[in-house]
Amino acid sequence: MSEFAGFPFAGLDFYEDLEADNSKAFWTANKHVYERAVREPMAALVAELEADFGPAKIFRPHRDVRFSKNKVPYKNHQGAIVHTAQGSGWYVQIGAPGLFVAGGMYAGSPDQLARLRGTIDDDVRGAELETILATVQRAGYTLGGDKLKTRPKGYPADHPRIELLRHKSLVVSKEFGAPDWLETPHAAKEIRKSWEAMRPMVEWVGAVVGGEG
């Protein structure tokens, strides 16, 4: 495998065009662009980061449309994840808007969510997470994830960490867009730096929700 040299802007253009024509005909005619400007750089990137974070799963480009009303066949981005637990880990994505990085629990099972909320409820461990998240947010990352509109069952509305308890998924993320360095090997340094900034949160969540990735 060749060394990571950056994500060519041709990959971003590919996804912009795909959003306008998400068809098998377009994909077939432009698959060589996807392979050269998206898939191969992503594979090289995760190989470079593996020693520090672990092996990654590169998601397939096709959408699963079996149970979806939206029948467009191809995803409008390419993502890869390094699991720290089932449904949790570090994430990187390239698409028409550019580079996106994230980390945390994006799809927990009911048991995992119960463990997460039980730990957030604990005055010591919950406060520990609050401190970790405050540090990550000060570093420029956004706290997000799906949330209940009301309090989760079994927890009082005036709980000191009720906003965290409402989360059904818990992630931190950052949109980089398309800076000049995205096309260069320096992109790997920026992604590594971001994942390291997220590490305390990602590993805290992974340790709490447990399970195999």
Side-chain angles (χ1 to χ4, degrees):
M1 179 183 294
S2 59
E3 292 186 356
F4 178 71
F7 286 104
F9 288 156
L12 280 59
D13 293 339
F14 166 82
Y15 279 113
E16 185 173 350
D17 292 339
L18 181 65
E19 289 178 358
D21 182 10
N22 196 314
S23 67
K24 189 175 188 302
F26 172 85
W27 184 271
T28 300
N30 294 275
K31 186 177 179 181
H32 65 286
V33 180
Y34 165 77
E35 294 289 348
R36 175 180 55 82
V38 178
R39 180 81 184 193
E40 291 174 8
M42 184 65 79
L45 171 69
V46 297
E48 183 169 328
L49 299 177
E50 182 172 348
D52 292 327
F53 299 95
K57 172 186 176 181
I58 299 177
F59 292 103
R60 64 180 187 174
H62 304 81
R63 296 182 62 252
D64 185 351
V65 300
R66 291 173 298 172
F67 308 107
S68 174
K69 293 181 180 179
N70 181 358
K71 298 300 183 181
V72 296
Y74 303 102
K75 297 175 182 175
N76 63 0
H77 60 269
Q78 176 64 66
I81 188 165
V82 175
H83 283 115
T84 54
Q86 182 64 40
S88 301
W90 287 281
Y91 180 75
V92 59
Q93 175 181 299
I94 199 77
L99 176 67
F100 172 78
V101 296
M105 186 184 82
Y106 62 91
S109 68
D111 286 346
Q112 287 177 313
L113 184 55
R115 289 198 293 275
L116 178 64
R117 285 181 174 149
T119 309
I120 291 172
D121 181 43
D122 181 82
D123 286 340
V124 174
R125 297 298 307 284
E128 180 182 47
L129 177 61
E130 284 184 306
T131 299
I132 290 171
L133 291 175
T135 299
V136 175
Q137 288 176 278
R138 283 197 299 271
Y141 298 86
T142 301
L143 175 62
D146 293 334
K147 298 173 70 173
L148 295 172
K149 294 182 179 180
T150 59
R151 63 179 178 84
K153 185 177 180 180
Y155 295 97
D158 61 351
H159 192 287
R161 288 173 295 281
I162 190 62
E163 289 304 312
L164 286 176
L165 288 168
R166 288 171 56 206
H167 277 264
K168 296 186 290 182
S169 58
L170 186 67
V171 296
V172 291
S173 64
K174 188 171 185 178
E175 296 269 7
F176 281 96
D180 291 342
W181 50 254
L182 186 60
E183 288 194 297
T184 75
H186 183 72
K189 296 181 180 179
E190 292 293 338
I191 295 165
R192 184 191 303 275
K193 179 180 175 182
S194 292
W195 280 9
E196 286 293 355
M198 298 175 189
R199 185 185 287 276
M201 184 271 194
V202 172
E203 293 187 342
W204 188 99
V205 170
V208 168
V209 302
E212 295 296 322

